[in-house]
Every structure is written in structure tokens, then in C-alpha cells.
Amino acid sequence: AQKITQTQPGMFVQEKEAVTLDCTYDTSDQSYGLFWYKQPSSGEMIFLIYQGSYDEQNATEGRYSLNFQKARKSANLVISASQLGDSAMYFCAMREFSGNTPLVFGKGTRLSVIA
Amino acid sequence: DADVTQTPRNRITKTGKRIMLECSQTKGHDRMYWYRQDPGLGLRLIYYSFDVKDINKGEISDGYSVSRQAQAKFSLSLESAIPNQTALYFCATRGTRSEAFFGQGTRLTVV
């Protein structure tokens, strides 16, 4: 069974600073994908970044990067140069590729960016 | 227009009432999902469907049922709503690529 753990219920970061949101996962599959989603106060779920278990390089999308440490089963999201608009809930999720398994989410981290 | 559309966006209903939440998508995806979000609990999977004839229970299916009327439509029903089903409900789709696309969410309040 797959499981996602986000240990930080809330985080604060100063504007323009970098911040790391933690995510650890548990799976017995060798082939899987890791995802991060952003949920602003308006409620919609916005896809940010994806990392495949066989990808050799860490994924990057603009100011977002994923610090993937396979042996530690961690997939931390790094946001560089934080902006006030980054204040939101952030969810880590995983999907195992063996079989048609659905996306499973962590409980989320609320990030607040301070001016 | 959104790729994944949920109706209604907000709903208040009384305990014991039957209610249906609807989801339609224009992405042509086979896979559709219903999630429920509660504060501090993240998103939990209620039901999912890989095609019209394939419906699967998720982590928290008790008290819910679904219908996949067509590839583009996946509805969630609460046969007899209870207050602890008050939550934000999301429909999502996924194609052959990995990421899921979400609707705007339905905020349901059961009083």
C-alpha cells in the first residue's frame, strides 16, 4: 500500500527567500510517480511538478524544483525566491505505475509568505 | 471553459436528503476520480473509474455511490446525507500521462 507523509502542517517564509516543503513516501513498487499540487485560498488544485522514479535528474519547473532522494524515499518541494502569491496549501501525491492505481495524497502543508 | 467541470459549486442540504454531484470533462480521459477534502486530512479517494464499465471503491466509499454515465461524465451521490459528509469534493481526470486534472471543487454543507 502506498502512503504519503507531509510532516509540516504549516510553514512561514520571508518573501524572496527559498523554502523546502517536506514529503516522504512509502511504496514497494519500483515504478512510480511523485507530484506536487498547490491549492490557493480560492480552492482549485494546481499541478506544479512531476518526478518519475526512474528519472535521473531532479525535476524543475520555473521556481519549483523537486529534491528527489530515492533511497530516503523523499520528494521535497523547493520554492525559490518566494512570492506573496505562493501562500497556499501544498500537497504531495504519489501514484504507483503497476496496475491502475489512483493518485494518493498527503495531508498537506500550509505555506505563508511574509512580506 | 474549464476542462473538468463540477456542478454545483456550492450546496447546502439537509440531513437525510439525497444529493448528486456532477462532473463532466472535455479532455477525453478514461480515468475519473472523486476525492473528498477535509481540513487537516488532505484529499481522500472516494471512488474511481477507468472506463464506463469499471468502477472501483476508494479509501472512504461508505455512504457514497457513483455512476459513470459516459466517458465524459462521472457523478457522485450521497443517498442519505449526514453532517460529517460536509466537505469540499473534487472530481479529477487523468489520461495516459501521469498528472491528474481537477475540477474547481464542490463545497457541500449538510445541516
Side-chain angles (χ1 to χ4, degrees), chain B residues 5-92:
Chain B
T5 302
Q6 292 182 231
T7 55
R9 294 292 311 278
N10 291 280
R11 180 73 181 266
I12 299 174
T13 192
K14 293 183 177 180
T15 298
K17 293 291 188 182
R18 183 180 188 275
I19 182 169
M20 180 182 289
L21 309 183
E22 298 186 342
C23 176
S24 63
Q25 52 116 345
T26 58
K27 299 191 75 68
H29 290 167
D30 289 327
R31 300 163 182 84
M32 297 188 73
Y33 308 84
W34 276 103
Y35 288 90
R36 165 180 172 161
Q37 184 181 8
D38 298 278
L41 296 179
L43 279 75
R44 294 181 293 166
L45 184 65
I46 307 173
Y47 270 96
Y48 58 107
S49 169
F50 295 134
D51 63 39
V52 175
K53 297 180 181 179
D54 185 358
I55 305 290
N56 303 276
K57 291 184 177 181
E59 179 188 352
I60 53 164
S61 58
D62 287 350
Y64 302 95
S65 63
V66 291
S67 173
R68 185 81 183 266
Q69 301 96 324
Q71 187 203 37
K73 295 183 182 295
F74 192 36
S75 59
L76 175 72
S77 293
L78 287 68
E79 296 301 325
S80 179
I82 56 177
N84 77 359
Q85 291 177 312
T86 293
L88 181 59
Y89 290 84
F90 283 103
C91 174

Side-chain angles (χ1 to χ4, degrees), chain A residues 39-46, chain B residues 9 88 90 104-105 107:
Chain A
Q39 186 182 42
S41 58
S42 51
E44 71 268 30
M45 295 289 287
I46 302 168
Chain B
R9 294 292 311 278
L88 181 59
F90 283 103
Q104 311 98 313
R107 192 166 296 280

Side-chain angles (χ1 to χ4, degrees), chain A residues 15 41 111:
Chain A
E15 195 178 9
S41 58
L111 177 67

